[in-house]
Amino acid sequence: MNYATIKKFDIANGPGVRVSLFVSGCRHHCKNCFNKEAWDFNYGVPMTVQIEEEILDACRADHITGLSLLGGEPFEKENRQGLIRLTKKFRERFPQKTIWCYTGFLLDEELLKSQDSDVLELLNQIDVLVDGRFVDELKSAELLFRGSSNQRIINVAETLSKGEIVLLEGKWERTMGSGDIYEA
């Protein structure tokens, strides 16, 4: 698995201050994707144990609320095993922090119908999944934590437990003028 970049102070891809890992490789090729260079599975550099430790060390800080996984596409077959290894280590070290993941796949129509056991294994490590392909015509700067209005912000554990999609939409709002985000 290759990765494109690591952001150690990210406020755009989930609530609070997060460490974000952008993996390489994506077959969705969404129109006007913000990270088109990461479509190539060979883009960036290979993930190593040392890089995993660098990511986990960055997550250790008290001001870090969690880890966000983006791409490229985290759920591409080529990326799943590396992310499972990383997220399991994260869970062991930081059980109080959250993992957000961004995917172009739809949870109910694609991921949960997959025959690959590592899809469910990765899903079980994730707290919040932002699913759905980026649709340029549905893009809005007013949206929090997603690029287009078709994308859903999903509570993964509750969804898996109830057997139906449980959204977090509407629970996150921006306070007027400050840019701060709070849970309503």
Side-chain angles (χ1 to χ4, degrees), residues 4 10 13 59 69 87 89 107 118 158 170 179:
D10 187 357
N13 295 301
C59 292
L69 308 172
T87 56
K89 289 179 182 180
L107 177 60
D118 53 354
E158 284 190 39

Side-chain angles (χ1 to χ4, degrees), residues 76-92:
E76 291 285 10
K77 184 170 187 59
E78 294 84 348
N79 294 327
R80 293 190 298 241
Q81 282 301 313
L83 291 177
I84 289 168
R85 187 175 55 250
L86 175 64
T87 56
K88 284 184 174 183
K89 289 179 182 180
F90 179 89
R91 283 274 171 241
E92 289 171 6

Side-chain angles (χ1 to χ4, degrees), residues 11-175:
I11 59 170
N13 295 301
V17 180
R18 312 182 68 76
V19 173
S20 292
L21 170 65
F22 292 77
V23 300
S24 295
C26 182
R27 293 180 178 92
H28 299 307
H29 297 187
C30 299
K31 175 182 167 189
N32 291 326
C33 173
F34 82 99
N35 202 9
K36 192 180 268 190
E37 60 275 356
W39 291 355
D40 181 355
F41 285 89
N42 295 312
Y43 181 76
V45 295
M47 177 66 81
T48 64
V49 172
Q50 292 79 15
I51 297 298
E52 285 179 4
E53 288 303 317
E54 179 183 328
I55 292 167
L56 294 168
D57 285 345
C59 292
R60 185 178 321 282
D62 290 338
H63 68 274
I64 298 296
T65 57
L67 175 66
S68 293
L69 308 172
L70 306 97
E73 172 56 65
F75 276 93
E76 291 285 10
K77 184 170 187 59
E78 294 84 348
N79 294 327
R80 293 190 298 241
Q81 282 301 313
L83 291 177
I84 289 168
R85 187 175 55 250
L86 175 64
T87 56
K88 284 184 174 183
K89 289 179 182 180
F90 179 89
R91 283 274 171 241
E92 289 171 6
R93 296 181 195 183
F94 312 111
Q96 75 285 8
K97 297 185 180 193
T98 60
I99 298 174
W100 278 51
C101 182
Y102 289 76
T103 180
F105 293 106
L106 293 173
L107 177 60
D108 46 351
E109 295 177 23
E110 295 171 289
L111 294 177
L112 291 177
K113 291 181 179 179
S114 170
Q115 299 299 311
D116 292 321
S117 61
D118 53 354
V119 170
L120 189 56
E121 190 173 1
L122 181 55
L123 281 171
N124 278 307
Q125 299 301 317
I126 296 167
D127 296 294
V128 177
L129 185 74
V130 181
D131 81 340
R133 287 164 180 76
F134 171 73
V135 177
D136 191 52
E137 296 77 17
L138 300 176
K139 180 172 102 174
S140 170
E142 297 300 313
L143 297 169
L144 288 176
F145 310 133
R146 56 197 174 132
S148 57
S149 61
N150 63 298
Q151 295 172 315
R152 304 177 295 182
I153 302 173
I154 299 171
N155 180 318
V156 177
E158 284 190 39
T159 294
L160 294 176
S161 173
K162 292 182 177 182
E164 63 184 41
I165 299 292
V166 178
L167 299 176
L168 287 180
E169 291 178 324
K171 293 187 179 182
W172 303 100
E173 297 183 18
R174 186 180 310 272
T175 54

